Amino acid sequence: MTIHPEDTDGNVDLVTFRLGGEICAVPASQLREVLEPVAMMRVPGAAEFVAGLINVRGTVVPLSDLRVPLGMPREPAGEHARIMVMDIPVSGQSCVVGILADAVHEVTRLDPEKCEQVPTVGARWPQRFVSAVGRWKGDLVTLPDLATIFEDFLDGFDGRTTLTGARRATKIQEPERA
Amino acid sequence: MTDEEPNAIFRNEAETLVETLEERLLRLEATPGDADLIDAVFRDLHTLKGSGAMFGRHDVANFLHGFETAFEAVREGRAKVNEQLIAISLAAKDHIANLLSKPGADGGDAILNQLAVYLEGTPQTPQDSRLWHLTFKLAPDTLALGGRPEAIIDDLRSLGFRDIRALLGDVPPLSKIDPERLYISWEAWIDRDIGRDEILTAFLFHEDGLELTLAPPIEEATARDLEDPKPDSTRSPANGRGGALMRVPAERLDEMMDRVGELVIAEARLREAAARIGESGLSSIVEDISRLTSGMRETTMSVRMTPISAITGRFRRLAHDLAGKLGRHFDFVIEGEKTELDKTVVERLAEPLMHIIRNAADHGLEDPSLRSAAGKPATGTIRLEARYAGAEVLISLSDDGRGLDREAIRMRAVERGLIASSATLSDEEIFGLIFEPGFSTAAEVTDLSGRGVGMDVVRRTIDELRGTVEVSSEPGYGTSVSLRLPLTLAIIDGLLVDLAGERFVLPLAAVLEIVELPAEHGHPTSRNAFLDIRDTLVPFLRLRDLLESPGEPAPFQKVIVVSSADGRVGLVVDRIIGSNQTVIKQLSPLHSGLKLFSGATILGDGGVALILDIPQLVHRGRCLAERAQEAA
Amino acid sequence: MTRTVLVVDDSPSVRQMMANTLKGAGFVVVTAADGQEALDVCGRLRPDAVVTDQNMPRLDGIGFCRAFRTTPQNLGVPIIFLSTESEDAIKQKARAAGAIGWMIKPFDQAKLLAVINRVLGA
């Protein structure tokens, strides 16, 4: 995910949210809506990262937890927990995905000039999953690279991690497809 | 300007026309009564003839003249479109292509002869009770320009048309009517094969913006239905009952299906809400709405049903060409062409089936000498069969050729790293390998098969259509590829079940019966995985295990007995909720790798349920059981 | 019921000939020598049909047609062009301006009558 200049100043609108005790931000242009937590249907055999499905206005939408790939501690949802419904490019097409947040703060404007490249050492997150870091109200804001996170997920473990035994047994019937 | 330039332009134009001509001829084979298509073919021929003559290609022009004459007869209703005509026409089309690359090429006379024989051999359509159907629509500004539709109708009547009726389907509500616009179209019937030109005399000054179709009698039934109108059967989809056919853009049908899907979900929500309120007046309305919704769903699905014959023309052509290219004749038999499937399924089946036919002809059938030596008829047969099997359609493509070479497939798979050289595999598993990406059994890449698209594409397409594909083969006796496809893609009748408070849908079509799980099997650790149902042992699977359901099973578990490729299998669930019209929503790429589910659906209370894929479930269960046995 | 046909042509001989033909068939005929004059005539009476030439001084057939159609009462009055021009482009223009038909000169009387009868439904 790159930051697209969206106005003449080169600033972009970002939505800041809290996740695993950190402040993160994603482009507001990708955000469709913010929902109160809703009932999720667990998908048996799915990876923890995309463990379930929710109903968003008659559409079945996968619900994902960024804390899994980012290696953050996972705590039960608090009273400010929300679901951000976002458009995310997956396998070359736009996919609607719900993303869990501990709280959603506000839409703000961030000057890309003031965003820093991710330091290669000392970062808590896998570096390739972060597109930039910036500052917001004195706090460090991390911009996760959603496209990379989701692409990596599809390339890597394909959502079938917890049924590995069965996978191996059915290898012949279910070839990996590139 | 040099001489080459216009010639190149002519060649280019002619080649394009020849291509569209082929496509139209094949479509015409599927819909022989399509007057527009006949016109289009006629126009193509006419244009080709004209430009051929202009560019000094008298060989092309002369040949086309004969060809065009035949289609003129068709257009004027003097000759009928049938398989024979299409076959000759395809040969004629090929001859044109041949002439374009090799001026003066011969072979044309024989084809023209065949055409002539065909024309003379076709009896003139007798003036019997079979009726031709005319529909026409005038330009919307006809009235504003002072046009008089009634004068046209008078003229048509004097030409012999009868039962002239106005079609009011496009008339908007009164508040939206523009009094200057003409919204009405008309239909009429005539009992003879009237030429188009003769009809057009009635439309003097109304040719601009005129939409006119003249369809020949479709079936004997058409005329009878007209004279003796019976109540419309809702189960008479594509075979043209009732005479008045309407052409509708395919996207509208898709849109309609989407709307019906939404309607079904809304109906389920309404039902839930009414149940909560519990008011009897409301309940009876909900009943009505439910009935209407499921009727609407049936009708919409039946409208979308298309016979396989819509694509078999292409297969005949392919078989014909393959026989030519391979230099060995074979019989190509099609059975069950009237079997109907959702139109999307039919359209998407064409490519995979063509691939399988190509494979069968190229690799399956042996040379006549080999066949004779093996005591088989010298002429091979490729058979395409389609039939209904419950809520599915079974399509099989079999040949009586040499059969698949087990060892060759195995070696290739080892070579390609698909299996370990020590792996022991059943026949079924070995044959399944030919569907792996990049696998090709052709020792040499021929012109026909092995052009990069392989059986993996076949399998992917069938997967996407929620179908399954299986291969069986007997050395020396042939190979058979069987496709199982759902009748429709969008909505199924489902059985809603509960496991640990989570809900899943099973396709009702696969459900045979539901029984109580006997108490002795109640405990999950009980080893014996068979049920005695009326003295037959039926294996059963605990869905709790397969679906990793949390908590303890309910006290009175139920067993849903389903039919699967391996016979009857019981699926143990906590609770049956009931039947449910299930609108299938595709899973996103994030979950589409999970084979156990064929999709998800939204329930009346807004919750999401996963739709279980029974063949995959049974397969997975068997694998788990085998592993458990090995471990024990 | 007698119907009125307006004949617009800058050639007096054509006007004369058409008037005779139509009168012989029982129509009332009004003539005009160009589009402008035809518009003036239409200000006084409403014809049941118009037969007009294309190339005329002051206002040509298409110009007349457009102006004629701007008056709401004139909607539904058929206009037929009678011209030596036969290009599709100009026929299209005439159609867009509000003409219903186009006939090519020269014409014979029988054909003219057939056409008029047809558009008037006589």
Side-chain angles (χ1 to χ4, degrees):
Chain A
M1 182 180 69
T2 49
I3 298 172
H4 302 287
E6 296 205 341
D7 61 17
T8 47
D9 310 332
N11 291 340
V12 285
D13 283 332
L14 292 171
V15 183
T16 54
F17 62 98
R18 189 157 54 78
L19 188 69
E22 297 193 35
I23 304 295
C24 302
V26 289
S29 60
Q30 278 176 265
L31 182 71
R32 288 191 165 200
E33 59 184 312
V34 176
L35 302 177
E36 302 265 331
V38 294
M40 178 192 86
M41 171 69 195
R42 178 185 69 96
V43 178
E48 277 182 282
F49 172 47
V50 282
L53 298 171
I54 54 170
N55 169 5
V56 180
R57 300 177 201 293
T59 320
V60 176
V61 170
L63 182 62
S64 76
D65 188 344
L66 292 178
R67 289 174 300 190
V68 178
L70 298 177
M72 294 171 158
R74 297 173 69 194
E75 281 144 26
E79 59 167 323
H80 298 296
R82 295 288 183 275
I83 294 169
M84 298 189 293
V85 181
M86 301 193 64
D87 288 311
I88 291 174
V90 176
S91 309
Q93 62 188 63
S94 183
C95 190
V96 182
V97 178
I99 289 178
L100 287 168
D102 292 334
V104 175
H105 296 303
E106 61 173 32
V107 175
T108 183
R109 210 151 247 223
L110 212 62
D111 180 356
E113 297 294 309
K114 290 186 189 145
C115 284
E116 297 150 33
Q117 285 304 305
V118 190
T120 46
V121 283
R124 278 163 297 177
W125 294 1
Q127 191 201 339
R128 53 187 277 101
F129 289 164
V130 180
S131 61
V133 283
R135 287 206 173 270
W136 174 69
K137 293 181 178 173
D139 283 321
L140 205 60
V141 185
T142 311
L143 280 69
D145 187 338
L146 297 177
T148 304
I149 291 173
F150 280 89
E151 282 307 327
D152 261 33
F153 168 73
L154 283 180
D155 291 347
F157 35 126
D158 217 14
R160 289 182 268 197
T161 46
T162 60
L163 282 175
T164 40
R167 279 276 316 137
R168 214 174 298 124
T170 58
K171 174 86 179 162
I172 289 155
Q173 257 59 39
E174 297 179 14
E176 294 291 345
R177 295 196 184 109
Chain B
M1 189 156 74
T2 66
D3 275 345
E4 272 89 340
E5 278 175 346
N7 267 325
I9 295 169
F10 166 66
R11 276 280 296 274
N12 203 328
E13 177 196 305
E15 279 160 10
T16 316
L17 274 168
V18 166
E19 266 174 47
T20 48
L21 179 62
E22 170 168 47
E23 189 246 311
R24 287 189 172 135
L25 285 170
L26 292 168
R27 266 171 42 210
L28 194 57
E29 181 165 40
T31 51
D34 190 332
D36 287 348
L37 212 47
I38 294 170
D39 271 355
V41 169
F42 185 78
R43 273 199 310 276
D44 287 348
L45 296 176
H46 193 75
T47 311
L48 262 171
K49 180 175 92 170
S51 50
M54 250 173 68
F55 286 91
R57 294 297 305 273
H58 296 291
D59 51 344
V60 175
N62 286 341
F63 179 72
L64 274 157
H65 180 72
F67 197 175
E68 187 188 1
T69 309
F71 262 87
E72 195 160 31
V74 172
R75 194 167 76 145
E76 289 168 2
R78 284 183 285 116
K80 263 192 354 195
V81 177
N82 62 13
E83 259 173 56
Q84 194 192 352
L85 176 65
I86 298 288
I88 306 172
S89 301
L90 284 170
K93 172 250 137 191
D94 289 346
H95 182 67
I96 300 167
N98 200 14
L99 280 176
L100 289 174
S101 53
K102 279 181 279 178
D106 42 66
D109 289 348
I111 296 168
L112 290 182
N113 258 338
Q114 280 178 299
L115 276 172
V117 168
Y118 173 79
L119 286 181
E120 281 153 26
T122 308
Q124 299 272 314
T125 312
Q127 299 217 347
D128 60 11
S129 59
R130 293 153 57 111
L131 296 178
W132 292 65
H133 182 222
L134 172 80
T135 55
F136 68 91
K137 187 170 184 163
L138 301 170
D141 60 354
T142 297
L143 297 177
L145 297 186
R148 299 165 46 83
E150 67 273 35
I152 295 171
I153 289 165
D154 287 345
D155 280 9
L156 287 174
R157 201 167 278 134
S158 65
L159 283 172
F161 280 96
R162 57 188 169 92
D163 298 331
I164 302 174
R165 282 201 312 185
L167 302 170
L168 305 176
D170 291 336
V171 179
L174 198 55
S175 60
K176 294 212 176 115
I177 284 190
D178 172 353
E180 288 161 23
R181 277 182 80 87
L182 181 61
Y183 298 98
I184 307 168
S185 38
W186 283 267
E187 66 172 352
W189 306 85
I190 193 164
D191 58 6
R192 63 191 173 102
D193 50 335
I194 190 167
R196 208 181 166 84
D197 290 344
E198 203 179 335
I199 295 177
L200 282 177
T201 58
F203 291 90
L204 175 73
F205 289 159
H206 292 90
E207 296 91 340
D208 286 320
L210 173 68
E211 293 171 33
L212 183 138
T213 59
L214 180 67
I218 299 156
E219 287 170 25
E220 300 289 347
T222 311
R224 279 202 302 275
D225 286 355
L226 263 176
E227 279 150 23
D228 177 21
K230 292 181 199 82
D232 251 352
S233 158
T234 49
R235 286 272 187 191
S236 60
N239 59 5
R241 265 185 56 100
L245 294 179
M246 207 175 112
R247 296 160 67 84
V248 175
E251 311 88 70
R252 283 206 211 160
L253 291 182
D254 293 340
E255 214 174 276
M256 195 163 148
M257 198 70 225
D258 289 347
R259 297 262 155 86
V260 171
E262 300 301 320
L263 179 64
V264 168
I265 291 175
E267 182 259 332
R269 279 171 48 207
L270 176 65
R271 180 179 279 278
E272 297 258 341
R276 274 199 306 277
I277 296 165
E279 203 269 317
S280 68
L282 181 59
S283 303
S284 77
I285 297 172
V286 170
E287 281 313 311
D288 282 351
I289 300 271
S290 297
R291 196 172 36 77
L292 291 170
T293 304
S294 73
M296 186 73 208
R297 185 196 123 184
E298 289 271 308
T299 309
T300 306
M301 279 183 350
S302 75
V303 165
R304 291 174 56 89
M305 289 310 221
T306 309
I308 309 261
S309 57
I311 51 170
T312 45
R314 275 180 261 179
F315 304 156
R316 288 201 176 87
R317 169 71 174 173
L318 176 70
H320 175 262
D321 290 355
L322 284 170
K325 277 188 195 161
L326 293 166
R328 55 175 185 243
H329 182 71
F330 60 87
D331 291 329
F332 182 57
V333 183
I334 303 180
E335 280 170 23
E337 258 184 297
K338 288 194 172 158
T339 311
E340 293 180 339
L341 277 162
D342 187 276
K343 74 175 181 62
T344 314
V345 181
V346 172
E347 282 157 14
R348 298 200 48 195
L349 272 179
E351 270 303 308
L353 284 173
M354 293 199 20
H355 188 77
I356 301 170
I357 295 169
R358 229 179 261 133
N359 263 338
D362 197 12
H363 307 311
L365 299 178
E366 316 90 326
D367 283 328
S369 54
L370 279 172
R371 292 180 63 91
S372 303
K376 295 205 265 190
T379 304
T381 302
I382 295 179
R383 183 179 298 272
L384 177 70
E385 274 182 271
R387 62 182 172 86
Y388 297 103
E392 292 180 322
V393 164
L394 205 62
I395 297 176
S396 69
L397 215 135
S398 44
D399 64 66
D400 63 349
R402 57 171 68 94
L404 292 177
D405 185 340
R406 232 188 96 101
E407 272 317 297
I409 294 173
R410 199 196 148 80
M411 274 166 61
R412 172 66 60 99
V414 173
E415 222 172 85
R416 297 277 156 106
L418 297 170
I419 53 168
S421 54
S422 60
T424 47
L425 299 174
S426 67
D427 279 1
E428 191 193 325
E429 284 168 334
I430 295 247
F431 297 148
L433 290 168
I434 66 170
F435 295 112
E436 298 297 295
F439 189 96
S440 167
T441 49
E444 75 284 5
V445 173
T446 66
D447 175 37
L448 300 176
S449 331
R451 269 183 287 194
V453 280
M455 294 292 270
D456 60 318
V457 178
V458 172
R459 165 125 108 207
R460 196 178 320 143
T461 311
I462 305 301
D463 275 355
E464 281 165 13
L465 295 173
R466 295 196 300 108
T468 59
V469 52
E470 268 170 35
V471 186
S472 60
S473 182
E474 198 63 45
Y477 289 95
T479 306
S480 174
V481 181
S482 308
L483 313 177
R484 260 177 195 281
L485 293 150
L487 281 176
T488 182
L489 293 174
I491 304 184
I492 56 166
D493 279 311
L495 183 68
L496 195 59
V497 301
D498 179 323
L499 279 137
E502 293 174 333
R503 289 168 296 177
F504 297 89
V505 175
L506 289 154
L508 200 57
V511 175
L512 299 174
E513 62 181 313
I514 297 168
V515 296
E516 193 104 358
L517 184 71
E520 72 261 31
H521 294 298
H523 200 265
T525 56
S526 100
R527 270 272 164 258
N528 189 356
F530 287 93
L531 280 180
D532 185 346
I533 299 178
R534 291 186 295 279
D535 296 331
T536 315
L537 286 183
V538 175
F540 69 87
L541 298 167
R542 293 177 198 279
L543 289 192
R544 283 190 147 266
D545 297 347
L546 285 166
L547 301 173
E548 300 166 334
S549 307
E552 286 300 309
F556 303 105
Q557 296 176 78
K558 301 283 185 294
V559 185
I560 300 164
V561 181
V562 296
S563 63
S564 80
D566 307 329
R568 290 194 290 168
V569 177
L571 303 172
V572 182
V573 302
D574 282 3
R575 194 164 69 87
I576 310 278
I577 299 172
S579 66
N580 168 280
Q581 282 190 51
T582 306
V583 180
I584 300 171
K585 308 265 182 186
Q586 296 298 330
L587 292 178
S588 76
L590 300 175
H591 289 124
S592 54
L594 294 164
K595 297 287 177 201
L596 289 188
F597 313 109
S598 54
T601 191
I602 290 174
L603 301 172
D605 64 2
V608 177
L610 284 159
I611 302 164
L612 296 172
D613 183 314
I614 291 182
Q616 291 287 340
L617 206 61
V618 170
H619 183 79
R620 177 75 47 89
R622 213 177 48 199
C623 292
L624 283 180
E626 279 164 15
R627 281 201 316 138
Q629 241 165 18
E630 279 164 28
Chain C
M1 189 178 84
T2 355
R3 323 252 193 144
T4 307
V5 179
L6 170 60
V7 173
V8 193
D9 200 299
D10 55 347
S11 150
S13 62
V14 171
R15 285 202 302 270
Q16 184 66 51
M17 205 263 280
M18 296 218 311
N20 288 344
T21 307
L22 292 168
K23 277 176 184 159
F27 292 103
V28 175
V29 180
V30 189
T31 60
D34 60 38
Q36 192 53 57
E37 194 187 328
L39 283 177
D40 295 341
V41 169
C42 293
R44 286 180 272 116
L45 63 92
R46 182 180 181 275
D48 295 298
V50 181
V51 182
T52 179
D53 187 18
Q54 161 58 9
N55 293 317
M56 294 179 294
R58 292 207 291 171
L59 184 62
D60 65 14
I62 290 178
F64 160 74
C65 204
R66 283 202 191 102
F68 181 74
R69 287 285 185 225
T70 55
T71 310
Q73 296 92 285
N74 291 339
L75 279 170
V77 175
I79 301 174
I80 296 157
F81 272 75
L82 186 62
S83 170
T84 49
E85 310 239 6
S86 62
E87 282 167 39
D88 281 334
I90 194 153
K91 290 188 198 169
Q92 291 298 332
K93 259 173 101 173
R95 161 103 196 163
I100 191 159
W102 188 285
M103 292 173 66
I104 295 166
K105 283 184 198 169
F107 61 95
D108 64 50
Q109 304 191 355
K111 179 138 191 239
L112 176 70
L113 277 180
V115 165
I116 294 292
N117 278 329
R118 179 59 201 269
V119 296
L120 285 176

